[in-house]
């Protein structure tokens, strides 16, 4: 039986009460399998519930003024999972790309995929490219899905691209800076994440955006991803709003700069 289509929520929270929200939010969506196991359900049920929750959270982020949302959906290490689970994850991706892109497009969501996409089956690569083209002119929310992605892989592929540019005479080795290197990373075209939320109770990065997270704030949540709702999102944003982001400087130096 096909999964029921979810409608994106149309909530309108009180933005002033929430305080400042991150311009770019990254999320490690963890805990799908444990969510299912605690309910004595097959692991597939957890992944399906997590996929459904993605659209709800994305729409809530857009309503709260988030411009860029990056989701860690499938890591380079996830290929090590049982083949049946990997097949399920790929089928879930196919389902979202076949059934939900029109709705995302109508909501002015721009969809983009980053990672080593060449490892995916050809039909899935085609669906990803098709979704990117169909939503390329949208600007309400830039939704980036990291699939077959790893922070070390991203740094490695950037280093190779930079080395080729040096070899071809496009870049002077003496002019290589952090900023120059960063232009070869997967998220080079958008701001670095202001906040990263990880659900599922784990307190680690799991090889996500290692370079991009240099000054990102972190919020670790015990709720499993299928249970992460608007209330939890607002709690994370309230916590983020209470922090002072100094970027290595003292508070008084930040105040003076402003």
């Amino acid at each position: 039986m096909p999964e029921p289509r979810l409608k994106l929520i149309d909530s309108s929270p009180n933005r002033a009460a929430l305080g400042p929200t991150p311009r770019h939010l990254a999320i490690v969506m963890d805990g799908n399998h444990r969510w299912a196991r605690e309910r004595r359900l097959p692991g597939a049920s957890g992944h399906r519930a997590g996929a459904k929750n993605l659209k709800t959270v994305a729409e809530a982020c857009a309503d709260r003024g988030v411009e860029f949302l990056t989701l860690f959906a499938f890591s380079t290490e996830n290929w090590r999972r049982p083949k049946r689970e990997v097949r399920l994850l790929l089928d879930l991706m196919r389902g979202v790309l076949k059934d939900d892109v029109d709705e995302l497009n109508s909501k002015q969501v721009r969809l983009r995929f980053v990672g080593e996409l060449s490892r995916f089956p050809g039909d899935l690569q085609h669906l990803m490219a098709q979704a990117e083209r169909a939503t390329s002119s949208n600007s309400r929310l830039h939704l980036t899905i990291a699939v077959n992605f790893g922070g070390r892989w991203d740094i490695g592929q950037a280093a190779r691209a930079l080395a080729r540019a040096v070899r071809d005479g496009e870049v002077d080795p003496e002019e290589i800076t952090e900023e120059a290197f960063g232009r070869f990373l997967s998220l080079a075209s958008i701001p670095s994440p202001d906040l990263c939320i990880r659900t599922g109770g784990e307190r680690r990065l799991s090889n996500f955006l290692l370079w991009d997270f240099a000054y990102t704030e972190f919020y670790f949540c015990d709720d499993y991803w299928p249970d992460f709702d608007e209330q939890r999102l607002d709690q994370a944003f309230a916590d983020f709003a209470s922090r002072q982001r100094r970027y290595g400087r003292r508070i008084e130096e930040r105040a003076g700069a402003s």
Side-chain angles (χ1 to χ4, degrees):
M1 179 179 297
E3 294 293 329
R5 294 281 304 280
L6 279 188
K7 294 193 177 199
L8 294 177
I9 57 176
D10 290 316
S11 61
S12 300
N14 185 336
R15 291 287 313 284
L18 291 175
T21 56
R23 184 183 182 197
H24 183 179
L25 172 67
I27 303 180
V28 180
M29 305 177 294
D30 196 14
N32 291 338
H33 197 273
R34 284 172 287 160
W35 179 90
R37 185 173 58 198
E38 287 188 2
R39 288 158 177 77
R40 300 180 183 275
L41 296 171
S45 298
H47 290 304
R48 292 191 182 100
K52 291 179 181 179
N53 197 40
L54 188 156
K55 287 202 302 177
T56 301
V57 173
E59 179 68 5
C61 286
D63 283 342
R64 286 153 177 77
V66 175
E67 298 177 42
F68 304 92
L69 175 62
T70 300
L71 303 176
F72 200 14
F74 192 93
S75 75
T76 52
E77 291 79 18
N78 284 158
W79 295 104
R80 302 172 187 168
R81 294 186 177 187
K83 291 183 179 179
R84 183 177 179 181
E85 184 176 357
V86 171
R87 284 196 299 269
L88 169 68
L89 292 171
L90 298 186
D91 285 342
L92 283 173
M93 290 171 59
R94 287 187 181 94
V96 169
L97 290 169
K98 290 178 180 178
D99 299 335
D100 298 327
V101 171
D102 286 344
E103 187 177 357
L104 291 173
N105 200 20
S106 71
K107 295 289 185 177
Q108 286 295 299
V109 175
R110 181 175 183 176
L111 190 60
R112 186 167 70 114
F113 293 89
V114 295
E116 193 174 3
L117 306 184
S118 61
R119 185 166 179 181
F120 291 110
D123 70 305
L124 192 49
Q125 292 182 51
H126 175 73
L127 288 170
M128 291 179 190
Q130 192 175 51
E132 289 182 334
R133 288 193 300 269
T135 62
S136 61
S137 62
N138 298 334
S139 59
R140 180 181 178 222
L141 178 68
H142 294 251
L143 176 58
T144 301
I145 310 293
V147 287
N148 195 25
F149 183 92
R152 291 179 175 178
W153 167 85
D154 196 22
I155 293 170
Q157 67 83 25
R160 289 191 296 274
L162 179 56
R164 288 192 293 268
V166 171
R167 179 198 62 195
D168 297 340
E170 299 170 0
V171 175
D172 183 345
E174 299 304 318
E175 296 179 356
I176 295 176
T177 61
E178 291 181 16
E179 181 180 2
F181 181 82
R183 287 196 288 268
F184 292 88
L185 293 167
S186 296
L187 299 189
S189 62
I190 62 178
S192 296
D194 301 292
L195 173 67
C196 176
I197 297 172
R198 177 165 187 159
T199 63
E202 303 294 352
R203 269 67 174 167
R204 56 177 178 265
L205 299 184
S206 294
N207 192 25
F208 193 15
L209 299 167
L210 301 182
W211 178 282
D212 309 80
F213 280 161
Y215 284 103
T216 298
E217 300 290 328
F218 291 90
Y219 183 87
F220 297 104
C221 173
D222 290 334
D223 295 289
Y224 299 136
W225 172 245
D227 290 329
F228 188 82
D229 56 15
E230 294 178 77
Q231 181 180 358
R232 269 75 169 186
L233 183 69
D234 288 341
Q235 290 171 351
F237 284 178
D239 182 83
F240 172 78
S242 71
R243 303 185 188 185
Q244 292 179 319
R245 306 185 71 198
R246 299 194 294 268
Y247 302 96
R249 290 175 281 185
R250 293 193 179 95
I251 296 176
E252 58 269 22
E253 290 175 330
R254 287 282 297 159
S258 62

